[in-house]
Amino acid sequence: MNSILEFLQQRNSAARLAAPAPDDTELAEILRAALRAPDHAWLRPWRFIRLRGEAREAFGEVLEQSLLQREPGADQAARAKARRAPLRAPLLLVVVASLKTHPKVPAVEQRLSAGCAAHGVLMAAEAQGYAGIWRTGAPAFDPVVHRALGLAADEEIVAFLYLGTREGDAKPLPDLAVADFLSDWPAP
Ligand SMILES: Cc1cc2nc3c(=O)[nH]c(=O)nc-3n(C[C@H](O)[C@H](O)[C@H](O)COP(=O)(O)O)c2cc1C
């Protein structure tokens, strides 16, 4: 089989990620791939925020504050979990949808474009031999987090991409039948 096709068919997230992560040169190559996401009217409705090293610890504090805002009674274990969340990978890339006003391109299309860019990051990272996982959760939608990351009013978080080197074996790929997801129109 064509090796690119096989590669596309085998993308697999990794929840457990260790160093090394893509360095800045590799990350630039990854982003060049992400920037090829389909993009109606070429609005480029995305941007990426890189967090490495100690920035992840500072961001963990933001996540703890975000948790406390939502759940003022959160216990120490929950707070520590939130604080440590960004340490689950050596590199975090926040994918931001930067929504523009355009007569023919509604916000949903721009969000989809930014989502395609996020997928492009994961694919390109895997192509370089790294691994990653797309996460969101309540913090992605929390104004506390948006403010801390410097998002503008017309920006949204599409993904927290955790990137690094897969720890342990890859999880098995799900056995999905194409026929379950495909139909003909009109129905035969
Ligand atoms: C928009 C979006 C948000 C997600 N948020 C989370 C998340 O917060 N936590 C999580 O464990 N997985 C999350 N996932 C799912 C994982 O990225 C991944 O797809 C899932 O673990 C299945 O693994 P696979 O993609 O390798 O099949 C999210 C996926 C998408 C597309």
Side-chain angles (χ1 to χ4, degrees), residues 97-184:
S98 299
L99 304 174
K100 326 277 182 204
T101 303
H102 188 282
K104 290 193 182 148
V105 188
V108 61
E109 293 192 0
Q110 300 180 48
R111 292 185 181 105
L112 290 169
S113 266
C116 289
H119 188 230
V121 168
L122 289 176
M123 283 297 195
E126 276 208 28
Q128 287 180 329
Y130 295 103
I133 186 165
W134 179 333
R135 296 184 188 273
T136 51
F141 310 101
D142 185 343
V144 170
V145 176
H146 288 198
R147 252 194 317 278
L149 288 173
L151 266 62
D154 55 2
E155 291 190 314
E156 300 173 3
I157 292 173
V158 166
F160 296 117
L161 298 179
Y162 285 68
L163 298 169
T165 298
R166 187 186 299 278
E167 260 194 322
D169 292 337
K171 63 184 161 61
L173 291 170
D175 186 17
L176 300 179
V178 171
D180 291 343
F181 301 91
L182 177 69
S183 59
D184 287 301

Side-chain angles (χ1 to χ4, degrees), residues 28-72:
E29 291 298 329
I30 288 170
L31 291 176
R32 281 166 58 86
L35 293 177
R36 288 305 308 130
D39 173 13
H40 193 176
W42 285 6
L43 296 180
R44 318 304 188 209
W46 50 55
R47 66 187 180 94
F48 309 91
I49 303 172
R50 173 178 51 201
L51 291 91
R52 282 192 200 277
E54 287 173 13
R56 296 169 309 146
E57 280 155 41
F59 188 54
E61 314 240 326
V62 171
L63 294 184
E64 185 182 1
Q65 288 314 310
S66 159
L67 171 70
L68 287 173
Q69 185 101 346
R70 288 192 308 279
E71 297 173 34

